[in-house]
């Protein structure tokens, strides 16, 4: 999709379609008002006859409106003016785009960015319109023999901004929105890919593609032989039951001065999690292909970063691995010596994410990082606690937690903090090893984070449990591209590129 901004009055637009809002009940937005005047009351007469009430998401497509240069005018219901919130704004944009795409308008000038959304400025409205558009038009049909093609798809959208002064703000918003969307799209593609194709080697190939496309991106591969040398026995144990080799891909982005401490992201990359010997029930097991959602998120994030050419150093780790049962598989009762030297008693081979991540988190100490953030579809308990709306955030470093929460609020990619109090640590006690990989039924998300916290003492660290947010189940099953928006926002906030919004 091609996006641009302009600032002009609606009657001068000579586009295939002009998009304007109508509030409930039958109240024209200022731009719709202007069109109404030029068309000598044509629009208001339709509303009086009851063609459109203005309920959120209602659409009315008009052709050949008198005195209007554009072929079509799309009236979009925006609900009660005072009640228009962020979520409704995004829903309205989504519906508008789908309508335009299906009704043969290949180009549109959209005035919905002039709607009043509480507390949000032009930057926010344009950026979220771009992200919503790209998100809504995404589909994964690479593996279908018949692709669903739209006959006259929407190709170009012009967002109108109220004043010429806001043109450059709008352009930044488009640039940021497009970079975030392209990161999300890569995240979705890789996450949606089936586990017979997307294995740890596939993740490594995707990382290398990114490095080929950007000259300040490079990749280091840590394969099983290297892991053995490094003593990453916990990571190796999880992959032992699988024919697919464990591979950790380390993506280096250099946008800052060499020597500047990097920000490190570590993604759980279980390309399939069968549970191993502690095997999962059959129902819905296919969804465990998404257990690499953390790695997909890191990969997508690295793409956004590279497109934005952010002025800092960033490392992204894809901790690729497959958890399978088999005669070589690790078992309940095994005691593993992690890279850190700490020993772990395995009580359940399905609590494998933490066993992979702990060694990856020790590995990244070598970068002397400023901050390390891990992303993981770590616990089913997180889905029970927060549902599918919020990512679980756990951190022992308050300033970092707050930065992430702010970013989540700004990006609409929400996170909610859970405690990481010392009291929970005892649930990991083991009679035979330093601790176990299982914390019992209570507070499963927290005890998983407690486990990780024992490997992250050397830097400021936050953990994102994306088990509920990385993908959707059911009829619309698919990767969401989260938490790419939140993390890109977190980084944008560290630069002065971000508009205060
Ligand atoms: N990948 C799963 C977590 C998960 C399950 C995410 C369902 C999303 C939906 C993880 O490896 C796992 O199996 N966790 C166990 C931990 C338990 C054995 C302590 C879980 O959540 O049941
Ligand atoms: Mn598991
Ligand atoms: Zn898992």
């Amino acid at each position: 999709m091609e996006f641009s901004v302009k600032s002009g009055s609606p009657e001068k637009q000579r586009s295939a379609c002009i998009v304007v809002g109508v509030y409930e009940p039958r109240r024209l937005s200022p731009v719709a008002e202007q069109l109404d005047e030029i068309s000598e009351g044509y629009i208001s007469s339709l509303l009086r006859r009851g063609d459109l009430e203005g309920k959120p998401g209602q659409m009315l497509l008009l052709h050949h409106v008198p005195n209007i240069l554009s072929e079509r005018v799309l009236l979009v219901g925006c609900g009660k003016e005072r009640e228009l919130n962020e979520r409704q704004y995004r829903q309205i944009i989504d519906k508008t785009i789908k309508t335009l795409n299906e009704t043969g308008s290949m180009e549109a000038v959209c005035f919905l960015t002039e709607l009043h959304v509480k507390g949000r400025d032009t930057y926010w409205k344009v950026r979220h319109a771009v992200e919503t558009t790209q998100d809504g038009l995404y589909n994964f049909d690479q593996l279908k023999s018949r692709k669903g093609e739209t006959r006259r798809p929407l190709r170009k959208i012009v967002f109108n901004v109220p004043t010429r002064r806001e043109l450059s703000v709008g352009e930044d918003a488009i640039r940021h929105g497009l970079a975030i969307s392209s990161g999300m799209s890569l995240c979705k593609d890789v996450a949606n890919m089936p586990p017979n194709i997307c294995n740890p080697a596939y993740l490594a190939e995707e990382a290398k593609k990114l490095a080929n496309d950007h000259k300040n991106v490079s990749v280091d591969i840590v394969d099983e032989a290297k892991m053995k040398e490094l003593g990453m026995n916990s990571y190796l144990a999880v992959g032992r039951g699988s024919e697919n080799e464990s591979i950790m891909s380390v993506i280096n982005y250099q946008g800052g001065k060499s020597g500047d401490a990097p920000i490190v992201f570590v993604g759980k990359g279980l390309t399939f999690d069968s549970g191993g010997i502690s095997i999962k029930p059959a129902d819905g097991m296919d969804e465990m292909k998404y257990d690499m959602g953390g790695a997909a998120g890191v990969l997508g994030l690295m793409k956004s970063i590279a497109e934005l050419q952010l002025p800092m150093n960033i490392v992204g780790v894809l901790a690729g691995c497959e958890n399978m049962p088999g005669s070589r598989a690790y078992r309940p009762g095994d005691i593993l010596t992690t890279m850190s030297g700490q020993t772990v008693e395995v009580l359940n081979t399905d609590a494998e994410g933490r066993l992979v991540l702990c060694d990856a988190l020790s590995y990244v100490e070598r970068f002397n990082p400023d901050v390390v953030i891990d992303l993981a579809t770590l616990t089913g308990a997180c889905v029970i606690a927060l549902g599918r709306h919020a990512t679980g955030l756990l951190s022992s470093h308050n300033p970092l937690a707050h930065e992430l929460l702010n970013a989540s609020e700004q990006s609409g990619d929400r996170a909610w903090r859970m405690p990481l109090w010392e009291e929970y640590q005892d649930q990991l006690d083991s009679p035979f090893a330093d601790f176990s990989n299982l914390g019992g039924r209570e507070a499963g998300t927290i005890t998983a984070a407690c486990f990780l916290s024992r490997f992250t003492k050397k830097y400021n660290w936050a953990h994102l449990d994306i088990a509920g947010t990385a993908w959707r189940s059911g009829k619309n099953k698919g990767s969401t591209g989260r938490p790419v928006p939140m993390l890109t926002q977190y980084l944008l906030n560290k630069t002065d590129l971000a508009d205060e919004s």
Side-chain angles (χ1 to χ4, degrees):
M1 188 72 61
E2 204 185 303
F3 295 97
S4 58
V5 278
K6 98 173 159 194
S7 181
S9 50
E11 74 274 13
K12 304 229 177 75
Q13 310 302 329
R14 202 183 266 284
S15 172
C17 190
I18 306 185
V19 182
V20 297
V22 175
Y23 295 112
E24 196 180 343
R26 302 182 300 277
R27 279 198 39 241
L28 300 175
S29 65
V31 185
E33 193 86 57
Q34 277 172 270
L35 289 180
D36 190 48
E37 265 166 44
I38 302 153
S39 66
E40 289 158 19
Y42 181 77
I43 295 176
S44 49
S45 73
L46 289 177
L47 299 192
R48 264 197 309 278
R49 278 192 307 198
D51 289 40
L52 187 83
E53 186 59 28
K55 293 215 185 305
Q58 252 187 329
M59 302 276 149
L60 184 62
L61 185 62
L62 309 175
H63 294 262
H64 308 297
V65 175
N67 309 326
I68 302 290
L69 299 174
S70 291
E71 286 165 47
R72 301 171 167 94
V73 172
L74 180 62
L75 300 181
V76 176
C78 297
K80 301 217 170 66
E81 183 166 9
R82 296 243 189 98
E83 288 173 12
L84 185 60
N85 60 23
E86 296 167 15
R87 174 161 174 256
Q88 225 165 52
Y89 174 78
R90 293 190 68 135
Q91 284 172 342
I92 287 166
I93 296 281
D94 183 61
K95 188 115 187 253
T96 301
I97 299 301
K98 285 177 178 149
T99 304
L100 290 169
N101 201 42
E102 283 156 16
T103 52
S105 298
M106 297 181 77
E107 254 186 69
V109 180
C110 178
F111 284 85
L112 299 178
T113 37
E114 297 190 13
L115 297 173
H116 185 76
V117 183
K118 241 211 207 98
R120 296 303 188 184
D121 56 11
T122 299
Y123 171 85
W124 188 95
K125 286 183 280 185
V126 173
R127 197 180 104 186
H128 283 259
V130 171
E131 289 179 30
T132 304
T133 302
Q134 299 299 74
D135 191 47
L137 294 179
Y138 175 88
N139 66 359
F140 184 77
D141 58 9
Q142 298 171 47
L143 302 171
K144 282 189 186 278
S145 21
R146 289 167 53 123
K147 326 237 182 264
E149 264 160 40
T150 309
R151 207 172 59 82
R152 282 169 58 82
L154 182 64
R155 288 259 160 75
K156 198 172 156 194
I157 308 176
V158 182
F159 293 115
N160 206 77
V161 295
T163 61
R164 300 193 53 79
R165 229 165 24 89
E166 285 173 279
L167 284 173
S168 72
V169 162
E171 276 154 16
D172 281 347
I174 290 177
R175 210 162 44 78
H176 296 172
L178 278 175
I180 290 168
S181 301
S182 96
M184 287 172 80
S185 172
L186 175 60
C187 170
K188 292 179 201 176
D189 279 348
V190 174
N192 286 330
M193 203 53 89
N196 58 326
I197 296 175
C198 178
N199 54 32
Y202 182 92
L203 291 179
E205 288 310 311
E206 289 295 314
K208 287 178 197 157
K209 272 194 211 160
L210 192 65
N212 280 334
D213 293 345
H214 300 276
K215 65 177 188 314
N216 56 351
V217 177
S218 61
V219 177
D220 288 319
I221 296 299
V222 179
D223 58 14
E224 289 188 354
K226 193 79 204 290
M227 287 186 201
K228 227 170 249 152
E229 267 172 44
L230 292 165
M232 300 173 76
N233 302 309
S234 173
Y235 193 146
L236 282 167
V238 175
R240 272 229 315 268
S242 169
E243 284 289 327
N244 290 312
E245 185 176 1
S246 294
I247 300 176
M248 186 169 78
S249 310
V250 182
I251 309 171
N252 259 287
Y253 167 84
Q254 197 176 97
K257 292 195 276 300
S258 64
D260 281 0
I263 298 176
V264 176
F265 296 93
V266 176
K268 171 176 172 182
L270 266 287
T271 59
F272 190 70
D273 176 15
S274 67
I277 297 298
S278 315
I279 199 161
K280 288 182 179 294
D283 241 25
M285 210 205 266
D286 67 291
E287 294 192 7
M288 280 299 115
K289 72 172 181 179
Y290 289 117
D291 210 20
M292 38 62 78
V298 170
L299 182 69
L301 176 65
M302 297 309 286
K303 179 156 182 149
S304 299
I305 291 165
E307 288 193 3
L308 290 167
Q309 284 294 307
L310 295 181
M312 53 191 101
N313 296 333
I314 298 160
V315 175
V317 175
L318 317 182
C321 187
E322 187 179 44
N323 186 20
M324 296 291 264
S327 63
R328 277 171 39 86
Y330 79 135
R331 357 165 165 57
D334 284 0
I335 292 180
L336 312 171
T337 302
T338 63
M339 184 178 178
S340 71
Q342 301 176 95
T343 59
V344 180
E345 182 187 16
V346 177
L347 290 182
N348 187 318
T349 62
D350 198 13
E352 85 298 338
R354 62 199 77 181
L355 296 172
V356 168
L357 287 173
C358 70
D359 280 347
L361 288 167
S362 298
Y363 178 89
V364 301
E365 283 177 6
R366 69 184 52 214
F367 300 118
N368 292 122
D370 185 17
V371 162
V372 177
I373 299 170
D374 77 80
L375 295 58
T377 49
L378 203 61
T379 62
C382 192
V383 194
I384 303 302
L386 298 175
R388 304 204 163 262
H389 306 297
T391 290
L393 162 64
L394 298 100
S395 177
S396 43
H397 190 60
N398 285 326
L400 176 58
H402 289 131
E403 282 180 69
L404 287 166
L405 288 173
N406 281 341
S408 82
E409 184 55 38
Q410 288 167 291
S411 62
D413 179 4
R414 286 185 291 189
W416 196 257
R417 192 172 182 184
M418 295 197 228
L420 198 55
W421 298 318
E422 239 175 72
E423 283 83 345
Y424 293 99
Q425 294 280 356
D426 300 347
Q427 287 177 239
L428 297 172
D429 286 353
S430 158
F432 305 118
D434 295 346
F435 43 92
S436 89
N437 75 332
L438 204 63
R441 267 171 42 80
E442 295 171 2
T445 302
I446 297 172
T447 54
C450 283
F451 182 97
L452 298 178
S453 76
R454 298 176 182 220
F455 300 85
T456 60
K457 303 277 187 228
K458 301 237 166 85
Y459 41 70
N460 296 324
W461 163 75
H463 162 62
L464 297 174
D465 195 326
I466 57 171
T469 52
W471 78 92
R472 278 182 310 271
S473 305
K475 193 160 90 310
N476 285 320
K477 191 184 289 183
S479 165
T480 58
R482 294 174 68 178
V484 172
M486 167 169 87
L487 293 175
T488 310
Q489 184 68 55
Y490 161 75
L491 296 171
L492 277 172
N493 289 351
K494 296 194 169 291
T495 70
D496 43 27
L497 297 171
D499 204 60
E500 285 303 309
S501 51

